[in-house]
Amino acid sequence: MSARRAGLAVVLMVALLAGRAEATEAAHVIPSHAWIRVLPGDLPAGAYVVLENQGNQPATLRAASSPAYAEAMLHRSSTENGVSRMAMVDDLAIPAHGKVELSPGGYHLMLMKARTAVRPGDKVRLQLRFDDGSTLEVDFLARPANATGDTP
Amino acid sequence: MTLRRAGRLVLGLACLLAPLLLAGCNRDDAIPWQLTNVTGHMPDLDFHLVDDQGKQVTGQDYHGKVVLLYFGYTHCPDVCPLTLAHLHVVMQRLGPLADGARILFVSVDPARDTPEVMHAYVNAFDPRAVGLTGSPREIEALSKRYRSAFTREPDDANGQYEVSHSSAIYIFDRNGNARLLSTPDRSLDDLVHDLHLLLSLGNPA
Ligand SMILES: [Cu+2]
């Protein structure tokens, strides 16, 4: 680590300790259109959201969790050569002044083992965790299995 | 629907009806399908599986219906629900004609997809959807019949697993003949257009 870098780190830590929330990645990310596709029984559900980064630095989504589900994982679906597959991804970068969409058929959060049954119309809180450890609380609207198009 | 589309639809209907009236009009060349025409290039509908009521069924049981065949599994939270939700929209747009069609959702994960699980799952999407499961051998045979494949991916730490599967929708006419192939890049308009034509063919003799 260079002296300059170390200096920067100290400044950053001081800023964090001073409660300068606006310095975090999460503070610059504006969520919208957050929803969950609810499937019957205890089947895993997909969660979707648009994340807009209004900051001057990229923000990187690392993980998610929710009191309503035992597990939440960042996933990506893809279709290549006529085969659909789904894989775990480590992170998802949102460029400075850019946005990413977690949407059906692409990036999504996979929610598993609901602690109590989630029904269409419910609001489910998820916590999104970013690279710097900062977190963002987002309310997701539970929608029926056959929901299409935008969240109402 | 654009004017050009509407025009094509009328032309298509005319060509479908023409053989009945004039015994002319070469069907397969004249029908303006939007999806990939696989007529004569894929085997007819044939399988021995178990439906979501737990009943043994064969391909024959769906003769008289236009069939949309799709492979997937219920633990698939993203792509399978997206496809089935799209098919539900297509069925809704077809109106009363949709009663002449069935969505056959065939599980590529029979270990977890019991008829009960399948029943709740397909009915969450559309009343005209049927869930089919069965022995791994029968499912593999059906998948191979349409040159599609599926692969169980390695288990994660919790013993959960994903299954990679074909993304195509295979469409059969009321006689169980393979007619069309749809892929995820095709629009819902294309599906509605072609199913409208296929359903307008009337009942088998
Ligand atoms: Cu997933």
Side-chain angles (χ1 to χ4, degrees):
Chain A
M1 196 185 280
S2 71
R4 209 171 132 238
R5 274 222 159 152
L8 200 75
V10 168
V11 169
L12 203 75
M13 276 184 66
V14 168
L16 283 172
L17 290 171
R20 294 276 306 274
E22 61 272 27
T24 68
E25 292 184 19
H28 295 290
V29 175
I30 312 295
S32 60
H33 306 282
W35 66 284
I36 295 171
R37 187 192 297 285
V38 177
L39 296 170
D42 197 23
L43 292 171
Y48 309 100
V49 62
V50 178
L51 298 173
E52 190 184 347
N53 180 8
Q54 297 185 336
N56 296 319
Q57 302 296 324
T60 304
L61 179 64
R62 276 275 176 207
S65 61
S66 171
Y69 293 90
E71 278 179 65
M73 283 184 278
L74 183 58
H75 271 195
R76 183 171 171 250
S77 301
S78 59
T79 297
E80 248 172 73
N81 302 319
V83 177
S84 296
R85 61 184 82 239
M86 187 171 76
M88 259 210 276
V89 288
D90 292 332
D91 53 46
L92 174 59
I94 315 161
H97 301 290
K99 69 173 179 182
V100 297
E101 286 183 31
L102 283 78
S103 62
Y107 286 101
H108 57 274
L109 299 165
M110 178 155 121
L111 308 176
M112 295 174 80
K113 300 185 194 117
R115 294 210 162 96
T116 55
V118 174
R119 294 177 209 292
D122 290 354
K123 280 240 166 79
V124 179
R125 180 153 291 196
L126 266 75
Q127 189 182 62
L128 308 182
R129 183 174 296 276
F130 293 85
D131 219 14
D132 62 358
S134 59
T135 57
L136 185 64
E137 305 272 328
V138 185
D139 282 336
F140 283 66
L141 176 66
R143 296 177 69 199
N146 59 9
T148 49
D150 223 339
T151 37
Chain B
M1 197 184 287
T2 63
L3 259 181
R4 211 170 126 236
R5 270 257 158 94
R8 269 200 235 127
L9 191 64
V10 169
L11 183 75
L13 283 170
C15 280
L16 288 174
L17 297 173
L20 306 173
L21 304 171
L22 307 166
C25 202
N26 184 331
R27 268 188 189 183
D28 281 10
D29 292 341
I31 300 173
W33 301 118
Q34 303 292 299
L35 303 171
T36 306
N37 184 357
V38 296
T39 307
H41 299 288
M42 273 206 180
D44 57 2
L45 194 63
D46 187 19
F47 55 78
H48 292 80
L49 294 170
V50 179
D51 74 6
D52 59 74
Q53 315 268 8
K55 207 175 79 198
Q56 302 271 349
V57 289
T58 69
Q60 287 279 342
D61 291 321
Y62 299 94
H63 281 194
K65 299 288 181 195
V66 165
V67 165
L68 292 81
L69 181 75
Y70 176 64
F71 295 93
Y73 63 111
T74 67
H75 280 72
C76 163
D78 185 49
V79 169
C80 304
L82 175 64
T83 305
L84 291 172
H86 279 162
L87 291 182
H88 169 64
V89 172
V90 167
M91 296 295 257
Q92 277 188 318
R93 284 178 55 186
L94 286 168
L97 267 182
D99 292 336
R102 289 291 176 273
I103 299 164
L104 299 188
F105 179 69
V106 179
S107 174
V108 291
D109 184 18
R112 288 186 294 195
D113 288 339
T114 61
E116 261 180 309
V117 172
M118 292 290 274
H119 186 74
Y121 188 81
V122 296
N123 280 292
F125 292 95
D126 194 276
R128 288 140 307 195
V130 177
L132 298 177
T133 186
S135 75
R137 235 186 69 223
E138 292 286 3
I139 290 168
E140 199 164 323
L142 179 60
S143 170
K144 282 217 174 102
R145 190 171 171 85
Y146 301 106
R147 290 171 232 147
S148 99
F150 59 93
T151 315
R152 179 175 160 163
E153 304 293 344
D155 287 17
D156 70 13
N158 303 315
Q160 296 293 315
Y161 56 88
E162 305 303 337
V163 187
S164 304
H165 58 92
S166 164
S167 60
I169 298 162
Y170 304 84
I171 300 171
F172 300 81
D173 64 21
R174 292 181 200 266
N175 297 314
N177 297 313
R179 301 299 297 269
L180 300 160
L181 184 72
S182 182
T183 45
D185 54 313
R186 309 311 291 258
S187 71
L188 299 191
D189 284 351
D190 288 347
L191 272 161
V192 171
H193 174 274
D194 283 10
L195 286 169
H196 199 278
L197 287 179
L198 204 50
L199 284 159
S200 304
L201 272 166
N203 287 305

XYZ file of all heavy atoms in Angstrom, chain A residues 91-151:
462
model
N -20.425 -10.972 -7.285
C -20.797 -9.576 -7.094
C -21.347 -8.995 -8.384
O -21.274 -9.618 -9.438
C -19.597 -8.760 -6.615
C -18.391 -8.945 -7.525
O -18.556 -8.876 -8.756
O -17.280 -9.187 -7.001
N -21.894 -7.810 -8.242
C -22.470 -7.119 -9.391
C -22.139 -5.638 -9.259
O -22.546 -4.979 -8.297
C -23.996 -7.335 -9.411
C -24.790 -6.569 -10.459
C -24.330 -6.913 -11.868
C -26.271 -6.867 -10.309
N -21.352 -5.129 -10.222
C -20.903 -3.740 -10.151
C -21.934 -2.811 -10.794
O -22.472 -3.101 -11.852
C -19.559 -3.596 -10.845
N -22.185 -1.692 -10.119
C -23.050 -0.646 -10.672
C -22.130 0.537 -10.963
O -21.562 1.127 -10.045
C -24.144 -0.211 -9.679
C -24.782 -1.443 -9.022
C -25.198 0.650 -10.368
C -25.516 -1.114 -7.732
N -21.952 0.889 -12.235
C -21.000 1.958 -12.554
C -21.429 3.302 -11.958
O -22.609 3.497 -11.661
C -21.011 2.006 -14.089
C -22.115 1.127 -14.549
C -22.612 0.323 -13.396
N -20.470 4.185 -11.762
C -20.776 5.534 -11.287
C -21.780 6.170 -12.239
O -21.629 6.063 -13.459
C -19.492 6.360 -11.228
N -22.805 6.765 -11.712
C -23.874 7.412 -12.505
C -24.499 6.451 -13.512
O -24.930 6.843 -14.585
C -23.346 8.673 -13.215
C -22.815 9.692 -12.265
N -23.624 10.420 -11.413
C -21.536 10.067 -11.984
C -22.877 11.210 -10.661
N -21.602 11.013 -10.980
N -24.514 5.184 -13.149
C -25.125 4.185 -14.022
C -26.144 3.376 -13.249
O -26.411 3.645 -12.079
N -26.749 2.401 -13.936
C -27.687 1.541 -13.204
C -27.634 0.118 -13.731
O -27.206 -0.123 -14.860
C -29.112 2.101 -13.280
C -29.753 2.027 -14.640
C -31.217 2.450 -14.539
C -31.870 2.407 -15.909
N -33.255 2.845 -15.898
N -28.048 -0.795 -12.879
C -28.186 -2.185 -13.315
C -29.595 -2.649 -12.975
O -30.212 -2.146 -12.044
C -27.158 -3.138 -12.655
C -25.740 -2.780 -13.038
C -27.332 -3.176 -11.158
N -30.082 -3.577 -13.764
C -31.404 -4.122 -13.520
C -31.284 -5.585 -13.163
O -30.730 -6.368 -13.937
C -32.268 -3.976 -14.776
C -32.725 -2.558 -15.015
C -33.633 -2.429 -16.225
O -34.368 -3.391 -16.535
O -33.586 -1.358 -16.855
N -31.790 -5.917 -12.001
C -31.973 -7.333 -11.695
C -33.366 -7.644 -12.210
O -34.356 -7.099 -11.700
C -31.866 -7.591 -10.186
C -30.432 -7.608 -9.615
C -29.904 -6.201 -9.434
C -30.372 -8.353 -8.299
N -33.442 -8.452 -13.263
C -34.739 -8.670 -13.900
C -34.849 -10.109 -14.383
O -33.834 -10.786 -14.578
C -34.910 -7.691 -15.062
O -33.915 -7.917 -16.029
N -36.092 -10.597 -14.578
C -36.278 -11.996 -14.961
C -35.451 -12.389 -16.188
O -35.385 -11.642 -17.166
C -37.782 -12.074 -15.268
C -38.390 -11.015 -14.400
C -37.372 -9.902 -14.383
N -34.791 -13.529 -16.102
C -33.973 -14.019 -17.197
C -32.528 -13.539 -17.129
O -31.719 -13.854 -17.994
N -32.193 -12.767 -16.101
C -30.830 -12.249 -15.971
C -30.377 -12.310 -14.512
O -30.551 -13.310 -13.838
N -29.806 -11.210 -14.033
C -29.418 -11.161 -12.624
C -30.663 -11.185 -11.744
O -31.673 -10.580 -12.083
C -28.625 -9.881 -12.329
C -27.219 -9.910 -12.867
C -26.883 -9.248 -14.045
C -26.225 -10.603 -12.189
C -25.590 -9.283 -14.540
C -24.917 -10.638 -12.677
C -24.617 -9.976 -13.853
O -23.335 -10.005 -14.341
N -30.573 -11.888 -10.633
C -31.666 -11.891 -9.661
C -31.130 -12.333 -8.312
O -30.025 -12.868 -8.223
C -32.799 -12.822 -10.115
C -32.360 -14.238 -10.350
N -31.843 -14.664 -11.541
C -32.352 -15.313 -9.529
C -31.535 -15.945 -11.449
N -31.831 -16.375 -10.248
N -31.926 -12.086 -7.294
C -31.610 -12.629 -5.978
C -32.475 -13.859 -5.801
O -33.668 -13.821 -6.063
C -31.923 -11.598 -4.885
C -31.119 -10.300 -5.005
C -31.736 -9.209 -4.143
C -29.661 -10.524 -4.600
N -31.859 -14.968 -5.433
C -32.647 -16.174 -5.199
C -32.883 -16.291 -3.692
O -31.934 -16.346 -2.910
C -31.944 -17.404 -5.750
C -32.707 -18.670 -5.486
S -32.299 -19.932 -6.695
C -31.700 -21.206 -5.620
N -34.153 -16.321 -3.320
C -34.544 -16.384 -1.911
C -35.012 -17.795 -1.599
O -35.853 -18.348 -2.302
C -35.680 -15.390 -1.627
C -35.431 -13.954 -2.090
C -36.666 -13.094 -1.848
C -34.217 -13.368 -1.379
N -34.452 -18.369 -0.529
C -34.796 -19.756 -0.204
C -35.255 -19.898 1.233
O -34.830 -19.151 2.101
C -33.578 -20.651 -0.451
C -33.183 -20.695 -1.914
S -31.657 -21.594 -2.163
C -32.275 -23.266 -2.089
N -36.101 -20.889 1.460
C -36.594 -21.269 2.795
C -37.249 -20.084 3.502
O -36.695 -19.520 4.449
C -35.455 -21.831 3.642
C -34.831 -23.069 3.020
C -33.784 -23.668 3.959
C -32.923 -24.683 3.235
N -31.514 -24.307 3.155
N -38.439 -19.730 3.043
C -39.202 -18.661 3.697
C -39.475 -19.061 5.143
O -39.847 -20.196 5.416
C -40.507 -18.431 2.945
N -39.293 -18.120 6.059
C -39.494 -18.438 7.488
C -40.981 -18.539 7.793
O -41.394 -19.354 8.605
C -38.808 -17.376 8.351
C -37.287 -17.429 8.160
C -36.538 -16.976 9.423
N -35.152 -17.431 9.361
C -34.139 -16.666 8.927
N -34.355 -15.441 8.518
N -32.915 -17.163 8.894
N -41.767 -17.674 7.152
C -43.225 -17.840 7.181
C -43.681 -17.623 5.746
O -42.973 -17.006 4.959
C -43.908 -16.802 8.098
O -43.504 -15.499 7.670
C -43.532 -16.986 9.552
N -44.853 -18.145 5.396
C -45.323 -18.065 4.010
C -45.408 -16.603 3.558
O -45.939 -15.757 4.264
C -46.688 -18.735 3.894
N -44.828 -16.337 2.392
C -44.916 -15.010 1.792
C -46.040 -15.061 0.754
O -46.091 -15.977 -0.067
C -43.581 -14.618 1.127
C -43.711 -13.298 0.380
C -42.468 -14.543 2.169
N -46.962 -14.099 0.831
C -48.108 -14.099 -0.095
C -48.091 -12.853 -0.968
O -47.595 -11.808 -0.549
C -49.417 -14.107 0.693
C -49.620 -15.371 1.471
C -50.898 -15.326 2.300
N -50.755 -16.144 3.491
C -50.664 -17.476 3.478
N -50.733 -18.117 2.335
N -50.516 -18.157 4.587
N -48.654 -12.982 -2.189
C -48.744 -11.809 -3.065
C -49.386 -10.644 -2.315
O -50.379 -10.832 -1.611
C -49.619 -12.289 -4.223
C -49.391 -13.765 -4.271
C -49.196 -14.192 -2.842
N -48.804 -9.480 -2.478
C -49.300 -8.293 -1.788
C -48.459 -7.949 -0.564
O -48.452 -6.801 -0.119
N -47.734 -8.937 -0.024
C -46.866 -8.682 1.131
C -45.696 -7.786 0.726
O -45.263 -7.797 -0.425
C -46.269 -9.998 1.672
C -47.303 -10.881 2.352
O -48.453 -10.429 2.507
O -46.947 -12.026 2.718
N -45.208 -7.033 1.718
C -43.958 -6.293 1.538
C -42.883 -7.060 2.293
O -43.064 -7.388 3.462
C -44.099 -4.889 2.131
C -44.829 -3.920 1.216
C -43.945 -2.738 0.858
C -44.502 -1.938 -0.303
N -45.598 -1.033 0.130
N -41.786 -7.340 1.610
C -40.718 -8.110 2.238
C -39.442 -7.273 2.236
O -39.009 -6.783 1.190
C -40.472 -9.428 1.470
C -39.346 -10.225 2.114
C -41.747 -10.260 1.419
N -38.857 -7.114 3.415
C -37.652 -6.283 3.499
C -36.401 -7.117 3.228
O -36.222 -8.203 3.778
C -37.574 -5.643 4.880
C -36.337 -4.766 5.026
C -36.536 -3.675 6.023
N -37.495 -2.680 5.538
C -37.619 -1.460 6.076
N -36.879 -1.094 7.087
N -38.497 -0.604 5.604
N -35.558 -6.596 2.345
C -34.265 -7.221 2.083
C -33.170 -6.222 2.410
O -33.361 -5.008 2.265
C -34.130 -7.628 0.608
C -34.514 -9.081 0.263
C -36.020 -9.242 0.278
C -33.970 -9.448 -1.111
N -32.045 -6.753 2.847
C -30.894 -5.904 3.088
C -29.855 -6.219 2.024
O -29.434 -7.372 1.885
C -30.333 -6.175 4.481
C -29.275 -5.178 4.898
C -28.692 -5.507 6.266
O -28.098 -6.565 6.441
N -28.872 -4.617 7.217
N -29.473 -5.203 1.264
C -28.444 -5.384 0.238
C -27.116 -4.910 0.809
O -27.037 -3.829 1.399
C -28.797 -4.587 -1.025
C -30.203 -4.805 -1.600
C -30.380 -3.975 -2.883
C -30.472 -6.272 -1.873
N -26.087 -5.735 0.611
C -24.784 -5.398 1.173
C -23.789 -5.100 0.047
O -23.700 -5.850 -0.924
C -24.272 -6.556 2.039
C -22.940 -6.285 2.737
C -22.589 -7.413 3.684
N -23.562 -7.526 4.775
C -23.506 -6.793 5.889
N -22.527 -5.936 6.081
N -24.422 -6.936 6.826
N -23.076 -4.010 0.211
C -22.129 -3.591 -0.812
C -20.694 -3.884 -0.395
O -20.433 -4.273 0.752
C -22.338 -2.106 -1.144
C -23.671 -1.873 -1.817
C -24.831 -1.701 -1.058
C -23.784 -1.894 -3.194
C -26.063 -1.531 -1.664
C -25.007 -1.729 -3.807
C -26.151 -1.550 -3.050
N -19.780 -3.661 -1.368
C -18.373 -3.988 -1.206
C -17.749 -3.387 0.047
O -16.934 -4.021 0.720
C -17.612 -3.483 -2.440
C -16.540 -4.456 -2.859
O -16.572 -5.603 -2.371
O -15.676 -4.074 -3.661
N -18.110 -2.151 0.355
C -17.496 -1.474 1.507
C -18.184 -1.833 2.817
O -17.908 -1.228 3.854
C -17.496 0.049 1.285
C -18.901 0.614 1.169
O -19.877 -0.187 1.214
O -19.046 1.844 1.014
N -19.115 -2.787 2.755
C -19.789 -3.217 3.973
C -21.058 -2.435 4.268
O -21.814 -2.782 5.175
N -21.281 -1.370 3.498
C -22.488 -0.574 3.730
C -23.718 -1.355 3.270
O -23.618 -2.235 2.412
C -22.403 0.769 2.995
O -22.255 0.562 1.603
N -24.858 -1.046 3.853
C -26.074 -1.798 3.535
C -27.223 -0.865 3.178
O -27.251 0.300 3.573
C -26.515 -2.671 4.725
O -26.703 -1.831 5.864
C -25.483 -3.746 5.036
N -28.157 -1.447 2.425
C -29.321 -0.700 1.963
C -30.546 -1.566 2.246
O -30.590 -2.732 1.859
C -29.172 -0.464 0.455
C -30.191 0.388 -0.265
C -30.150 1.827 0.247
C -29.911 0.372 -1.769
N -31.527 -0.990 2.953
C -32.759 -1.722 3.240
C -33.765 -1.407 2.136
O -34.006 -0.238 1.836
C -33.350 -1.270 4.585
C -32.397 -1.368 5.755
C -32.435 -2.735 6.429
O -33.522 -3.351 6.430
O -31.390 -3.188 6.918
N -34.307 -2.444 1.539
C -35.258 -2.224 0.443
C -36.501 -3.086 0.679
O -36.393 -4.265 1.011
C -34.643 -2.603 -0.925
C -35.597 -2.259 -2.061
C -33.297 -1.928 -1.129
N -37.678 -2.486 0.505
C -38.921 -3.242 0.599
C -39.299 -3.794 -0.769
O -39.433 -3.039 -1.726
C -40.053 -2.353 1.123
C -39.955 -2.165 2.628
O -39.344 -3.032 3.294
O -40.464 -1.145 3.136
N -39.460 -5.098 -0.847
C -39.834 -5.765 -2.098
C -41.312 -6.135 -2.035
O -41.786 -6.632 -1.009
C -39.006 -7.045 -2.297
C -37.593 -6.792 -2.763
C -36.671 -6.143 -1.949
C -37.183 -7.233 -4.025
C -35.367 -5.917 -2.386
C -35.876 -7.021 -4.460
C -34.969 -6.357 -3.639
N -42.019 -5.912 -3.126
C -43.436 -6.277 -3.200
C -43.557 -7.717 -3.698
O -43.036 -8.061 -4.756
C -44.174 -5.333 -4.164
C -45.649 -5.669 -4.415
C -46.483 -5.483 -3.151
C -46.210 -4.807 -5.552
N -44.241 -8.552 -2.931
C -44.473 -9.938 -3.351
C -45.580 -9.949 -4.404
O -46.648 -9.374 -4.196
C -44.867 -10.787 -2.151
N -45.286 -10.575 -5.554
C -46.272 -10.647 -6.644
C -46.521 -12.114 -6.988
O -45.701 -12.981 -6.705
C -45.741 -9.889 -7.869
C -45.568 -8.385 -7.612
C -44.973 -7.696 -8.814
N -45.891 -7.658 -9.941
C -45.509 -7.439 -11.212
N -44.234 -7.267 -11.489
N -46.391 -7.404 -12.170
N -47.671 -12.395 -7.649
C -47.998 -13.799 -7.960
C -47.015 -14.424 -8.941
O -46.287 -13.723 -9.649
C -49.397 -13.719 -8.574
C -49.756 -12.298 -8.684
C -48.710 -11.460 -8.056
N -47.029 -15.754 -8.990
C -46.114 -16.507 -9.849
C -46.161 -16.024 -11.291
O -45.128 -15.894 -11.950
C -46.455 -17.992 -9.786
N -47.363 -15.741 -11.797
C -47.474 -15.406 -13.226
C -47.426 -13.907 -13.498
O -47.869 -13.452 -14.556
C -48.725 -16.044 -13.838
C -49.993 -15.602 -13.158
O -49.966 -14.694 -12.341
N -51.103 -16.234 -13.500
N -46.857 -13.150 -12.570
C -46.725 -11.704 -12.785
C -45.793 -11.424 -13.958
O -44.782 -12.102 -14.132
C -46.182 -11.037 -11.527
N -46.161 -10.452 -14.765
C -45.263 -10.003 -15.842
C -45.252 -8.481 -15.843
O -46.106 -7.845 -15.227
C -45.732 -10.472 -17.237
O -47.112 -10.172 -17.380
C -45.500 -11.953 -17.449
N -44.307 -7.934 -16.572
C -44.228 -6.491 -16.719
C -43.782 -5.826 -15.429
O -43.318 -6.480 -14.495
N -43.956 -4.524 -15.395
C -43.432 -3.729 -14.305
C -44.254 -3.882 -13.035
O -45.410 -4.257 -13.084
C -43.407 -2.257 -14.731
C -42.114 -1.609 -14.299
O -41.473 -2.142 -13.375
O -41.755 -0.587 -14.892
N -43.621 -3.564 -11.915
C -44.356 -3.559 -10.653
C -45.375 -2.439 -10.708
O -45.087 -1.363 -11.212
C -43.400 -3.311 -9.466
O -42.410 -2.379 -9.893
C -42.738 -4.572 -9.018
